[in-house]
Amino acid sequence: NAGVTQTPKFQVLKTGQSMTLQCAQDMNHNSMYWYRQDPGMGLRLIYYSASEGTTDKGEVPNGYNVSRLNKREFSLRLESAAPSQTSVYFCASSIHRESNEKLFFGSGTQLSVL
Amino acid sequence: RKEVEQDPGPFNVPEGATVAFNCTYSNSASQSFFWYRQDCRKEPKLLMSVYSSGNEDGRFTAQLNRASQYISLLIRDSKLSDSATYLCVGESGGSYIPTFGRGTSLIVHP
C-alpha cells in the first residue's frame, strides 16, 4: 500500500523557472494538503483541497498554484520560482475535512531555488 | 501570533529521564489535537491523538487542558531513539484545517 506518493524528492531550480510537484494518494481520501517547512517555522499550509473539485488558500499561498486533478492527485505549481521558495514541501491527505483528522504525509520534496 | 505555539527547545535529557512538552492553542473551538513525530526533516508521522480524557500509549501520555488551552506530551523513561522533533497539531479558526506548531526538539543523550 503506497499511501501518499510525492515526486520529485529533490529539485534545483534557477530563479524564474517553473515546475510542478506531483502528489497522489491511494487511500480514497477526500482532503489533500500542501505544506512547506522552513527551519524554525514548522509546517505552514500553502493550499488545501477539501474534496475533488475544490481548492482553497492556506497561510502562505503567494507564488503557488494548485490543481486537484481528480480524487487521487493534487499538484503544486511554481510559475516563477524565487529563492524564498527554497524549502521542503510535504503533501498530505486525510479522510475528510468535516473534522480535524490525522494526516498521512508523502516523503517530501527538497527544493532549492538559486 | 501563531494559532498553535510550542517551545522549540531543544530539550536535552539523559536516557531514562521523564520529559514533558506543552503546546498552547488560541482557537477555543478546536476539537481535535494530535502529536506528530518528525525525524531529520523526514515526513511527520502520527505519534498519538489527544483525547479530552487524556490517553496513554506505552511510555507516552497526552493530555488536553481546555480551560487553559494547552495540550501536553509526557515521555517517560526516555530512549536514545526518542530523539526527534515533536509537532503538535490543532485546528485553524473553526475550519478544521490542521495547523502545526513550530515543533519541539528533543535530544536524548547517553
Side-chain angles (χ1 to χ4, degrees), chain B residues 76-97:
Chain B
R76 290 179 297 277
D77 189 23
S78 298
K79 311 292 185 189
L80 296 176
S81 57
D82 293 334
S83 297
T85 296
Y86 292 84
L87 301 161
C88 75
V89 179
E91 299 172 19
S92 168
S95 62
Y96 306 117
I97 301 301

Side-chain angles (χ1 to χ4, degrees), chain B residues 46-91:
Chain B
L46 181 68
L47 179 64
M48 56 198 307
S49 304
V50 185
Y51 303 121
S52 296
S53 56
N55 48 303
E56 187 173 312
D57 182 3
R59 297 182 293 109
F60 299 84
T61 300
Q63 291 191 314
L64 167 63
N65 185 317
R66 288 197 179 276
S68 301
Q69 293 188 205
Y70 73 86
I71 64 172
S72 63
L73 178 68
L74 181 76
I75 305 176
R76 290 179 297 277
D77 189 23
S78 298
K79 311 292 185 189
L80 296 176
S81 57
D82 293 334
S83 297
T85 296
Y86 292 84
L87 301 161
C88 75
V89 179
E91 299 172 19

Side-chain angles (χ1 to χ4, degrees), chain A residues 10-109:
Chain A
F10 302 95
Q11 184 71 51
V12 178
L13 294 177
K14 295 181 179 179
T15 297
Q17 287 185 315
S18 62
M19 78 160 295
T20 299
L21 280 66
Q22 306 287 353
C23 177
Q25 51 88 14
D26 61 3
M27 296 173 284
N28 202 36
H29 284 173
N30 289 305
S31 300
M32 298 185 74
Y33 308 83
W34 277 105
Y35 289 90
R36 61 176 287 173
Q37 186 174 34
D38 303 294
M41 296 298 293
L43 276 77
R44 292 184 293 169
L45 184 64
I46 304 171
Y47 271 93
Y48 66 97
S49 172
S51 59
E52 185 178 355
T54 68
T55 61
D56 286 285
K57 295 178 180 180
E59 181 184 357
V60 288
N62 291 346
Y64 305 95
N65 286 302
V66 291
S67 296
R68 183 75 182 265
L69 304 170
N70 47 55
K71 191 171 186 179
R72 290 186 64 248
E73 298 173 286
F74 187 40
S75 62
L76 178 71
R77 182 161 178 84
L78 286 69
E79 291 290 353
S80 179
S84 61
Q85 294 177 306
T86 294
S87 189
V88 179
Y89 292 84
F90 290 103
C91 176
S93 70
S94 65
I95 295 173
H96 56 69
R97 198 181 74 81
E98 284 75 19
S99 64
N100 186 7
E101 298 285 345
K102 65 181 180 181
L103 296 169
F104 294 79
F105 283 89
S107 58
T109 298

Side-chain angles (χ1 to χ4, degrees), chain B residues 5 7 14 18 26 28 30-31 46-47 54 60 70 75 78 80 89 93 101 104 106 108-109:
Chain B
E5 298 267 16
D7 179 349
T18 296
S26 59
S28 60
S30 295
Q31 295 296 314
L46 181 68
L47 179 64
F60 299 84
Y70 73 86
I75 305 176
S78 298
L80 296 176
V89 179
T104 297
L106 173 65
V108 181
H109 59 82

